[in-house]
Amino acid sequence: MAAPATPGAQVPPAPVALGDLSGEGSRGLPDTRSEPKQLPELIRIKRDGGRLSEADIRGFVDAVVNGRAQGAQIGAMLMAIRLQGMDLEETSALTQALAESGQQLEWPKAWHRQLVDKHSTGGVGDKVSLVLAPALAACGCKVPMISGRGLAHTGGTLDKLESVPGFNVIQSPEQMQVLLEQVGCCIVGQSKKLVPGDGILYAARDVTATVDSLPLITASILSKKVVEGLSALVVDVKFGEAAVFPNQEQARELARALVGVGAGLGLRVAAALTAMDKPLGHNVGHTLEVEEALLCMDGAGPSDLRDLVTKLGGALLWLNGQAETQAEGAARVAAALDDGSARGRFEQMLAGQGVDPGLARALCSGSPAQRRQLLPRAQEQEELLSPADGTVELIHAMPLALVLHELGAGRSRAGDPLRLGVGAELLVDVGQRLRRGTPWLRVHRDGPPLSGPQRLALQEALVLSDRAPFAAPSPYAELVLPPTGAQQ
């Protein structure tokens, strides 16, 4: 296979020795006793910095899924893992145990080298999955994407798709197989039958301050992908002020863990590090992001979104042996955007997952103005003006996301209703020259006008400088690759 040929740094995974994922290093030898340990003993071992054997970890996950583990015991084990870490073998065992805690997805053997997926750690304006899944399907892949909902300031792919009237994210394994046969992709929610152990642990992590544990994040992401029976996976690990990880080095640590554990489980994983200081694209908010995804599938739209879609897709096609180089893979994805084949697959996916075929056709064939009439819209629009002359140095994503959250575009807790039409359009690009009084942001809202603090927060998100206009850098920073043997 030819060497990768993608702009941006490419980082082979550092050798991951036992203890690399643990904060204190690992102590003790694997336990060879056949008699299962009780939960308090397992918690004590990890609390004191010891290793858990594969049998120990399977016993813990089994107790969690079958209800034998008390909430306090689950929280104690998660905190012990958060503080003491897990080595590569422990993390692999946890990933496998979670993957096997529920139903396994099984596909025809002929699909073996076609099954691929992409996962993102979440950001602001991140609508890549809406574009990439159908684009990969148009390139001959099968994409059984199990996605999530938004929480806090990040938007969820499922919520965005549900802004299209009739779209149903609940699909049985049998329905998923039909969609993969007929369309080539589906985007569905995690059910109670698929990876239930991860669902329980994630809910507990959310209320025990253990969300940021590297081994727990790794096992949560990869367990869902192991269940999908994939041939290859690319993970978009975001870093920056509006991401889980504030800097690139922390993101790289997770990327290496994902790649290393994936290789141990027989899954080819590449992890892209991408910047999330400014929103991705121009639109933020559920309906508005669907509109921008369609624009990208028209072969148009913001350059940063297209760049990320084509590079992530190109890396995945190369990793899966469907392109000789990453550049060739990226060109194939770009062609699917430009010739309408990705948009055609998106239309088929909408219709296959419950959208009226006439609405799906109108959305995918209409102009941007026509599309806006077909999707939920906010009641009012309000523009903000540039306070001075200058070049747009940065538009901070976090203040924008937080204000939109206050306006109803996000949830404070799972199950909260969403205002699907609420959002914002960036009317300028980073690097562009602005004159005082020029509109730079259009807010779509359902309620009263923006409050003074909200307007101030949004205006402070716009950073102007005196330098000459410039081309904005790509958000794509580097790619962490699996060991050479795992790429074949």
Side-chain angles (χ1 to χ4, degrees):
M1 184 172 290
T6 291
Q10 302 197 41
V11 180
V16 185
L18 296 183
D20 276 4
L21 300 184
S22 61
E24 300 290 330
S26 56
R27 297 192 289 274
L29 297 172
D31 195 295
T32 57
R33 294 182 301 174
S34 58
E35 183 178 340
K37 302 183 185 75
Q38 298 299 308
L39 285 176
E41 185 178 359
L42 297 179
I43 295 167
R44 178 188 58 76
I45 291 171
K46 182 49 65 181
R47 179 201 69 187
D48 294 342
R51 291 190 73 244
L52 297 174
S53 70
E54 181 179 348
D56 293 338
I57 291 169
R58 287 186 178 277
F60 170 67
V61 172
D62 183 64
V64 168
V65 174
N66 291 318
R68 297 195 309 274
Q70 300 174 22
Q73 292 174 316
I74 294 173
M77 178 63 88
L78 294 176
M79 186 57 72
I81 293 170
R82 167 64 179 80
L83 296 177
Q84 296 290 358
M86 277 184 151
D87 65 34
L88 186 64
E89 289 183 2
E90 288 177 295
T91 307
S92 295
L94 178 59
T95 303
Q96 194 71 51
L98 291 174
E100 294 174 0
S101 67
Q103 185 176 356
Q104 307 295 298
L105 295 174
E106 297 182 2
W107 314 113
K109 290 183 179 179
W111 293 2
H112 173 60
R113 290 305 297 267
Q114 295 175 272
L115 289 155
V116 302
D117 198 3
K118 165 261 179 191
H119 178 85
S120 171
T121 58
V124 179
D126 183 3
K127 69 280 293 179
V128 168
S129 292
L130 304 184
V131 182
L132 187 55
L136 289 169
C139 292
C141 297
K142 305 289 186 185
V143 190
M145 188 176 287
I146 299 175
S147 196
R149 297 193 179 278
L151 191 62
H153 73 276
T154 62
T157 296
L158 300 182
D159 299 318
K160 294 166 190 176
L161 284 168
E162 284 182 338
S163 73
V164 181
F167 191 89
N168 185 3
V169 302
I170 305 301
Q171 302 289 325
S172 69
E174 295 76 20
Q175 290 170 316
M176 290 176 68
Q177 180 160 333
V178 170
L179 285 162
L180 294 182
E181 286 174 347
Q182 297 179 351
V183 181
C185 64
C186 59
I187 302 179
V188 304
Q190 181 178 352
S191 73
K192 293 182 179 179
K193 292 183 178 180
L194 295 175
V195 207
D198 175 64
I200 296 168
L201 292 188
Y202 188 85
R205 286 167 56 207
D206 198 33
V207 296
T208 56
T210 54
V211 170
D212 62 347
S213 165
L214 279 178
L216 294 177
I217 293 172
T218 301
S220 178
I221 291 173
L222 292 183
S223 61
K224 291 188 279 289
K225 302 309 176 184
V226 168
V227 164
E228 292 177 5
L230 301 177
S231 175
L233 168 71
V234 65
V235 183
D236 181 358
V237 182
K238 297 196 176 296
F239 65 91
E241 67 172 46
V244 175
F245 301 102
N247 61 63
Q248 194 168 338
E249 184 51 47
Q250 288 178 299
R252 189 181 296 117
E253 189 177 353
L254 173 61
R256 286 174 168 159
L258 289 165
V259 169
V261 172
L265 295 171
L267 176 61
R268 290 190 298 277
V269 181
L273 305 188
T274 68
M276 181 41 68
D277 292 308
K278 66 172 285 293
L280 182 62
H282 294 155
N283 290 6
V284 181
H286 301 88
T287 294
L288 294 176
E289 290 188 43
V290 171
E291 291 179 15
E292 189 162 73
L294 283 164
L295 200 59
C296 187
M297 287 183 275
D298 289 337
S303 59
D304 60 344
L305 174 60
R306 179 184 171 96
D307 182 70
L308 200 50
V309 168
T310 55
K311 285 180 177 171
L312 290 174
L316 194 47
L317 291 176
W318 169 79
L319 185 67
N320 202 41
Q322 292 172 276
E324 288 296 316
T325 64
Q326 291 182 58
E328 177 192 314
R332 288 185 59 194
V333 174
L337 301 179
D338 294 336
D339 66 15
S341 57
R343 189 179 62 238
R345 298 294 179 129
F346 187 72
E347 178 183 336
Q348 293 174 43
M349 184 183 77
L350 293 180
Q353 292 191 232
V355 177
D356 179 87
L359 173 59
R361 189 177 311 111
L363 268 177
C364 292
S365 62
S367 67
Q370 290 169 329
R371 289 167 179 163
R372 183 154 294 185
Q373 301 300 315
L374 298 170
L375 295 171
R377 288 179 292 161
Q379 297 171 1
E380 304 290 342
Q381 296 181 15
E382 185 171 344
E383 291 186 347
L384 274 67
L385 308 180
S386 174
D389 292 349
T391 298
V392 180
E393 195 70 31
L394 179 65
I395 299 171
H396 288 289
M398 197 62 169
L400 180 60
L402 293 176
V403 169
L404 293 179
H405 186 277
E406 291 177 4
L407 297 178
R411 295 186 180 90
S412 296
R413 62 183 65 188
D416 282 353
L418 294 170
R419 295 182 180 272
L420 297 173
V422 167
E425 295 176 85
L426 301 180
L427 306 179
V428 297
D429 288 309
V430 168
Q432 177 181 333
R433 189 73 180 173
L434 266 186
R435 294 192 65 83
R436 184 174 184 271
T438 302
W440 73 272
L441 182 72
R442 180 179 298 125
V443 177
H444 296 243
R445 55 177 174 77
D446 281 338
L450 294 170
S451 67
Q454 288 172 336
R455 290 185 68 88
L456 179 62
L458 292 175
Q459 289 289 26
E460 289 181 345
L462 176 67
V463 180
L464 300 175
S465 74
D466 294 330
R467 70 164 164 158
F470 60 93
S474 167
Y476 188 99
E478 64 182 81
L479 186 68
V480 177
L481 298 172
T484 303
Q487 297 171 29
Q488 306 306 317

